[in-house]
Short mmCIF file of all heavy atoms in Angstrom, two decimals:
data_model
loop_
_atom_site.label_atom_id
_atom_site.label_comp_id
_atom_site.label_asym_id
_atom_site.label_seq_id
_atom_site.Cartn_x
_atom_site.Cartn_y
_atom_site.Cartn_z
N LEU N 1524 -25.62 -28.61 -25.79
CA LEU N 1524 -26.89 -29.33 -25.90
C LEU N 1524 -26.74 -30.72 -25.34
O LEU N 1524 -27.79 -31.57 -25.50
CB LEU N 1524 -27.29 -29.28 -27.33
CG LEU N 1524 -27.76 -27.95 -27.91
CD1 LEU N 1524 -27.99 -27.91 -29.36
CD2 LEU N 1524 -29.07 -27.48 -27.21
N GLY N 1525 -25.60 -31.19 -24.98
CA GLY N 1525 -25.48 -32.46 -24.38
C GLY N 1525 -24.84 -33.49 -25.31
O GLY N 1525 -24.81 -34.65 -24.91
N LEU N 1526 -24.36 -33.07 -26.39
CA LEU N 1526 -23.59 -34.00 -27.30
C LEU N 1526 -22.43 -34.72 -26.56
O LEU N 1526 -21.61 -34.03 -26.01
CB LEU N 1526 -23.05 -33.25 -28.52
CG LEU N 1526 -22.46 -34.08 -29.57
CD1 LEU N 1526 -23.45 -34.78 -30.53
CD2 LEU N 1526 -21.42 -33.23 -30.45
N PRO N 1527 -22.37 -36.07 -26.55
CA PRO N 1527 -21.28 -36.68 -25.91
C PRO N 1527 -20.02 -36.57 -26.66
O PRO N 1527 -19.97 -36.47 -27.95
CB PRO N 1527 -21.64 -38.27 -25.89
CG PRO N 1527 -23.09 -38.23 -26.32
CD PRO N 1527 -23.42 -37.03 -27.09
N LEU N 1528 -18.90 -36.27 -25.94
CA LEU N 1528 -17.56 -36.15 -26.52
C LEU N 1528 -17.34 -37.17 -27.62
O LEU N 1528 -16.70 -36.86 -28.73
CB LEU N 1528 -16.54 -36.09 -25.52
CG LEU N 1528 -15.53 -35.02 -25.35
CD1 LEU N 1528 -16.39 -33.75 -25.12
CD2 LEU N 1528 -14.57 -35.20 -24.19
N GLU N 1529 -17.71 -38.43 -27.38
CA GLU N 1529 -17.26 -39.61 -28.15
C GLU N 1529 -17.88 -39.36 -29.63
O GLU N 1529 -17.44 -40.00 -30.58
CB GLU N 1529 -17.80 -40.86 -27.61
CG GLU N 1529 -17.22 -41.07 -26.32
CD GLU N 1529 -17.69 -40.25 -25.20
OE1 GLU N 1529 -18.76 -39.86 -25.13
OE2 GLU N 1529 -16.83 -39.77 -24.27
N GLU N 1530 -18.99 -38.62 -29.68
CA GLU N 1530 -19.61 -38.39 -31.13
C GLU N 1530 -18.69 -37.58 -32.03
O GLU N 1530 -18.92 -37.48 -33.24
CB GLU N 1530 -20.92 -37.65 -30.89
CG GLU N 1530 -22.04 -38.50 -30.34
CD GLU N 1530 -22.51 -39.46 -31.36
OE1 GLU N 1530 -22.84 -39.12 -32.52
OE2 GLU N 1530 -22.64 -40.65 -31.00
N LEU N 1531 -17.78 -36.82 -31.35
CA LEU N 1531 -16.98 -35.93 -32.17
C LEU N 1531 -15.77 -36.59 -32.95
O LEU N 1531 -15.31 -36.12 -33.94
CB LEU N 1531 -16.40 -34.81 -31.30
CG LEU N 1531 -17.44 -33.83 -30.78
CD1 LEU N 1531 -16.70 -32.90 -29.71
CD2 LEU N 1531 -18.00 -32.96 -31.93
N GLY N 1532 -15.39 -37.76 -32.40
CA GLY N 1532 -14.21 -38.36 -33.07
C GLY N 1532 -13.63 -39.39 -32.15
O GLY N 1532 -14.01 -39.67 -30.97
N PRO N 1533 -12.54 -40.10 -32.61
CA PRO N 1533 -11.91 -41.15 -31.78
C PRO N 1533 -11.03 -40.64 -30.67
O PRO N 1533 -10.62 -39.45 -30.66
CB PRO N 1533 -11.02 -41.71 -33.00
CG PRO N 1533 -10.65 -40.61 -33.83
CD PRO N 1533 -11.92 -39.81 -33.79
N PRO N 1534 -10.81 -41.51 -29.68
CA PRO N 1534 -10.02 -41.12 -28.53
C PRO N 1534 -8.62 -40.92 -29.01
O PRO N 1534 -8.20 -41.47 -30.11
CB PRO N 1534 -10.12 -42.35 -27.63
CG PRO N 1534 -10.72 -43.42 -28.34
CD PRO N 1534 -11.39 -42.85 -29.62
N VAL N 1535 -7.86 -40.15 -28.21
CA VAL N 1535 -6.52 -39.81 -28.61
C VAL N 1535 -5.51 -40.32 -27.47
O VAL N 1535 -5.80 -40.10 -26.29
CB VAL N 1535 -6.31 -38.27 -28.75
CG1 VAL N 1535 -4.96 -37.82 -29.03
CG2 VAL N 1535 -7.23 -37.78 -29.89
N ASP N 1536 -4.53 -40.95 -27.94
CA ASP N 1536 -3.47 -41.41 -27.00
C ASP N 1536 -2.77 -40.21 -26.47
O ASP N 1536 -2.26 -39.45 -27.21
CB ASP N 1536 -2.52 -42.42 -27.80
CG ASP N 1536 -1.35 -42.85 -26.88
OD1 ASP N 1536 -1.21 -42.23 -25.78
OD2 ASP N 1536 -0.72 -43.88 -27.31
N PRO N 1537 -2.83 -40.13 -25.12
CA PRO N 1537 -2.27 -38.78 -24.59
C PRO N 1537 -0.83 -38.67 -24.87
O PRO N 1537 -0.32 -37.44 -24.71
CB PRO N 1537 -2.65 -38.90 -23.14
CG PRO N 1537 -2.99 -40.33 -22.78
CD PRO N 1537 -3.44 -40.84 -24.09
N ARG N 1538 -0.07 -39.77 -25.11
CA ARG N 1538 1.31 -39.57 -25.47
C ARG N 1538 1.54 -38.89 -26.77
O ARG N 1538 2.61 -38.49 -27.06
CB ARG N 1538 2.01 -40.98 -25.39
CG ARG N 1538 2.13 -41.52 -24.04
CD ARG N 1538 2.44 -43.07 -24.07
NE ARG N 1538 1.48 -43.84 -25.01
CZ ARG N 1538 1.47 -45.09 -25.07
NH1 ARG N 1538 2.54 -45.87 -24.56
NH2 ARG N 1538 0.56 -45.80 -25.72
N ARG N 1539 0.47 -38.83 -27.46
CA ARG N 1539 0.63 -38.20 -28.94
C ARG N 1539 0.21 -36.79 -29.00
O ARG N 1539 0.48 -36.18 -30.06
CB ARG N 1539 -0.26 -39.04 -29.89
CG ARG N 1539 -0.18 -40.54 -29.86
CD ARG N 1539 1.23 -40.87 -30.42
NE ARG N 1539 1.28 -40.68 -31.89
CZ ARG N 1539 0.87 -41.51 -32.83
NH1 ARG N 1539 0.38 -42.66 -32.55
NH2 ARG N 1539 0.91 -41.13 -34.11
N ILE N 1540 -0.34 -36.30 -27.98
CA ILE N 1540 -0.60 -34.80 -28.04
C ILE N 1540 0.60 -33.88 -27.99
O ILE N 1540 1.66 -34.32 -27.39
CB ILE N 1540 -1.61 -34.32 -26.99
CG1 ILE N 1540 -1.07 -34.34 -25.57
CG2 ILE N 1540 -2.90 -35.21 -27.05
CD1 ILE N 1540 -1.90 -33.70 -24.55
N GLN N 1541 0.54 -32.76 -28.53
CA GLN N 1541 1.69 -31.85 -28.61
C GLN N 1541 1.95 -31.35 -27.19
O GLN N 1541 0.94 -31.07 -26.44
CB GLN N 1541 1.36 -30.62 -29.52
CG GLN N 1541 1.13 -31.03 -30.96
CD GLN N 1541 2.41 -31.52 -31.50
OE1 GLN N 1541 3.44 -30.93 -31.32
NE2 GLN N 1541 2.33 -32.62 -32.31
N ARG N 1542 3.15 -31.15 -26.91
CA ARG N 1542 3.59 -30.56 -25.66
C ARG N 1542 4.39 -29.41 -25.75
O ARG N 1542 5.23 -29.34 -26.58
CB ARG N 1542 4.22 -31.72 -24.78
CG ARG N 1542 3.25 -32.72 -24.31
CD ARG N 1542 3.98 -33.99 -23.58
NE ARG N 1542 2.92 -34.90 -23.38
CZ ARG N 1542 2.09 -34.92 -22.37
NH1 ARG N 1542 2.21 -33.99 -21.44
NH2 ARG N 1542 1.09 -35.83 -22.30
N VAL N 1543 4.28 -28.42 -24.74
CA VAL N 1543 5.14 -27.30 -24.69
C VAL N 1543 5.86 -27.41 -23.43
O VAL N 1543 5.10 -27.67 -22.35
CB VAL N 1543 4.36 -25.96 -24.80
CG1 VAL N 1543 5.25 -24.73 -24.68
CG2 VAL N 1543 3.54 -25.90 -26.12
N SER N 1544 7.08 -27.32 -23.34
CA SER N 1544 7.83 -27.43 -22.06
C SER N 1544 7.78 -26.02 -21.34
O SER N 1544 8.34 -25.09 -21.79
CB SER N 1544 9.25 -27.93 -22.36
OG SER N 1544 10.15 -27.34 -21.50
N VAL N 1545 7.13 -26.08 -20.18
CA VAL N 1545 7.11 -24.80 -19.37
C VAL N 1545 7.88 -25.24 -18.10
O VAL N 1545 7.27 -26.03 -17.32
CB VAL N 1545 5.69 -24.20 -19.12
CG1 VAL N 1545 5.74 -23.09 -18.23
CG2 VAL N 1545 4.98 -24.05 -20.39
N PRO N 1546 9.04 -24.79 -17.87
CA PRO N 1546 9.83 -25.29 -16.68
C PRO N 1546 9.06 -24.99 -15.44
O PRO N 1546 8.49 -23.89 -15.25
CB PRO N 1546 11.11 -24.60 -16.73
CG PRO N 1546 10.90 -23.36 -17.58
CD PRO N 1546 9.78 -23.75 -18.59
N MET N 1547 9.01 -25.90 -14.50
CA MET N 1547 8.33 -25.87 -13.20
C MET N 1547 9.37 -25.13 -12.30
O MET N 1547 10.46 -25.66 -12.14
CB MET N 1547 7.98 -27.22 -12.71
CG MET N 1547 7.13 -27.29 -11.53
SD MET N 1547 5.40 -26.96 -11.86
CE MET N 1547 4.59 -28.42 -11.32
N VAL N 1548 8.97 -24.02 -11.68
CA VAL N 1548 9.92 -23.43 -10.82
C VAL N 1548 9.99 -24.06 -9.43
O VAL N 1548 9.00 -24.43 -8.82
CB VAL N 1548 9.41 -21.95 -10.53
CG1 VAL N 1548 10.32 -21.21 -9.55
CG2 VAL N 1548 9.37 -21.14 -11.95
#
Side-chain angles (χ1 to χ4, degrees):
Chain N
L1524 289 171
L1526 184 77
L1528 234 59
E1529 298 68 38
E1530 287 288 310
L1531 291 171
V1535 174
D1536 180 339
R1538 291 167 300 185
R1539 306 290 292 273
I1540 68 168
Q1541 297 295 315
R1542 289 172 186 277
V1543 176
S1544 142
V1545 180
M1547 187 77 119
V1548 175

